[in-house]
Amino acid sequence: TVGVTRNLTEAKARVNKFITAYNDLVTFNKDQNAAAVAGKASIARNPVLRGFFDSMRSALLDDYTGSTYTRLAAVGIGFDAKGKMTLDEDAFEDAMTTAPTAVQTLFSTAETSGAFGTLAALVEDYTETGGLVALIREQLTDQVSTITNRLNTLEAQLAVRRRALQQQYIAADLAMSRLNSQSASLSTIGAQYRLF
């Protein structure tokens, strides 16, 4: 006889793992915003990061048809006042005990339905080859290349200017040396023909 039972502990552990990952993203986003406010290096104002974060939160709050449960909040997945995701374990366990198939449908990883299917498609849009992250990385690489080329040009111009100024200084120093020499010669001649 083979008995099959649902592993509620494992299901809860996987949901908690996702919640931890999402909360890490929230913390990263807040750290970037704080750095931007403090005038430090930050990607908080990058439209790709903001767009991804907003799209992900929208997907988590969205309605999903095809199940008794249409929102993640109905199975205990919600948000606290700081925007971090939380799990009401009692509500989750109750939903998993009374209607596990409905919870599975809500969580479905099929791209056309379910909260996690929508999230998977969203993440793929950003991370796939030619996706938004690759596009922004290419743009940033081009910007760095342009800035580097401009810095190299300015350094070359500064080197030319430095050489010109050094030559002018050397010429002025030689002229001063000659003038000092001539002044000494004139003083010597003047001393020989003093009337008094």
Side-chain angles (χ1 to χ4, degrees), residues 36-99:
V37 169
K40 297 178 181 176
S42 166
I43 60 170
R45 293 185 178 94
N46 188 296
V48 172
L49 177 64
R50 287 203 327 256
F52 175 71
F53 191 77
D54 291 344
S55 297
M56 193 168 187
R57 186 168 173 83
S58 176
L60 291 168
L61 294 171
D62 209 354
D63 262 331
Y64 295 95
T65 57
S67 169
T68 308
Y69 303 115
T70 59
R71 289 179 174 267
L72 290 174
V75 295
I77 299 174
F79 294 90
D80 64 16
K82 295 181 179 178
K84 292 204 171 181
M85 190 180 285
T86 60
L87 177 65
D88 180 340
E89 294 192 5
D90 291 337
F92 181 74
E93 288 175 9
D94 184 53
M96 285 294 291
T97 303
T98 58

Side-chain angles (χ1 to χ4, degrees), residues 34-174:
V37 169
K40 297 178 181 176
S42 166
I43 60 170
R45 293 185 178 94
N46 188 296
V48 172
L49 177 64
R50 287 203 327 256
F52 175 71
F53 191 77
D54 291 344
S55 297
M56 193 168 187
R57 186 168 173 83
S58 176
L60 291 168
L61 294 171
D62 209 354
D63 262 331
Y64 295 95
T65 57
S67 169
T68 308
Y69 303 115
T70 59
R71 289 179 174 267
L72 290 174
V75 295
I77 299 174
F79 294 90
D80 64 16
K82 295 181 179 178
K84 292 204 171 181
M85 190 180 285
T86 60
L87 177 65
D88 180 340
E89 294 192 5
D90 291 337
F92 181 74
E93 288 175 9
D94 184 53
M96 285 294 291
T97 303
T98 58
T101 306
V103 176
Q104 184 178 354
T105 303
L106 175 63
F107 286 178
S108 175
T109 54
E111 287 189 18
T112 55
S113 65
F116 293 114
T118 302
L119 287 173
L122 174 67
V123 170
E124 189 175 345
D125 285 343
Y126 278 83
T127 58
E128 67 185 348
T129 303
L132 293 171
V133 172
L135 180 63
I136 198 68
R137 180 181 294 160
E138 186 179 334
Q139 289 174 349
L140 290 172
T141 302
D142 290 344
Q143 286 177 0
V144 168
S145 178
T146 300
I147 291 170
T148 302
N149 290 338
R150 193 170 170 199
L151 283 172
N152 290 339
T153 301
L154 289 172
E155 284 177 357
Q157 290 173 350
L158 282 172
V160 169
R161 181 68 178 150
R162 186 185 300 115
R163 281 196 296 273
L165 288 173
Q166 285 173 340
Q167 289 173 355
Q168 288 175 4
Y169 175 79
I170 290 168
D173 193 46
L174 286 172

